[in-house]
Amino acid sequence: MIKSLAMMVMRPEDLIEFGRMSYASQNTVARWSNPSFLQDGLNSFEQHLLQHCPVRSGKLLLLGVGGGREALSLAQRGYRVTGVDFVADMVDQAKANAARFGYSIDGLVQEISTLDIPSTSFDMCWISKYMYSSIPTRSRRIEMLKLIARGLRDDGTFVCQFHWNPCLLLSERSTRLHRIVAALTRGYRQYEPGDRLWAHQEFLHVFHDETSLREEFIAGDFNIIQMITNEDDVMGGAVLRKRGENQ
């Protein structure tokens, strides 16, 4: 409880910067760039998501490139990858690691919730494990979705991964307490049940309601091709298609 209350004194921008500082440490960059980790490739859940994706080639925007594990695996499958990360050293490592295996990827140093890319420039977007859950507030996530949709070509596809727990225990008393602390400190007033600081490292929103998640995707200008959630797995995923102007 104390750790979660500490989150309440921070604004959304502070929570994002807290995560960036955690991932920018030399030890963290080295861990995400470890050769054995890179060679693991896509895990079984990620492969399952990719199987539902109608886009099999083309320009792919990877949000949260880290050391390049997913970028390398997707490049090996024929995608032309541009990796985005808010840690410059991660982007440099991802490009260097891909080059060691004979592949070339582009890199952008940006914070993904304020994504700045040309309109209709990518066929597909892929967000790294848990990264969607690392964006504080529903409104900020919806704005990010709209930026992603704008950067995709017509009928472009977005593969989204998020932290999932339909059995999450939610307490009205706890929610009230969190919001009182936020009001008193002028901190995180947009608190949502499921928000937490994970491993003293970063903000994480745990989704627990598929209906509200679907509504979030639709509000962000996407239609849902496939939603994959499981009561026994903390990973959830969705394959989304950019919604056309007349849809």
Side-chain angles (χ1 to χ4, degrees), residues 194-212:
D195 289 349
R196 59 195 56 196
L197 286 180
W198 178 75
H200 303 281
Q201 184 171 338
E202 65 178 322
F203 169 87
L204 192 71
H205 178 71
V206 181
F207 290 94
H208 57 277
D209 177 16
E210 190 171 303
T211 299
S212 63

Side-chain angles (χ1 to χ4, degrees), residues 168-215:
L168 184 68
L169 297 176
L170 303 173
S171 163
E172 291 185 10
R173 179 176 177 274
S174 175
T175 298
R176 286 197 302 270
L177 181 58
H178 280 81
R179 288 176 174 160
I180 288 170
V181 172
L184 290 173
T185 61
R186 297 184 180 181
Y188 185 42
R189 298 181 181 182
Q190 301 96 325
Y191 170 80
E192 302 166 295
D195 289 349
R196 59 195 56 196
L197 286 180
W198 178 75
H200 303 281
Q201 184 171 338
E202 65 178 322
F203 169 87
L204 192 71
H205 178 71
V206 181
F207 290 94
H208 57 277
D209 177 16
E210 190 171 303
T211 299
S212 63
L213 185 56
R214 286 177 177 271
E215 291 171 351

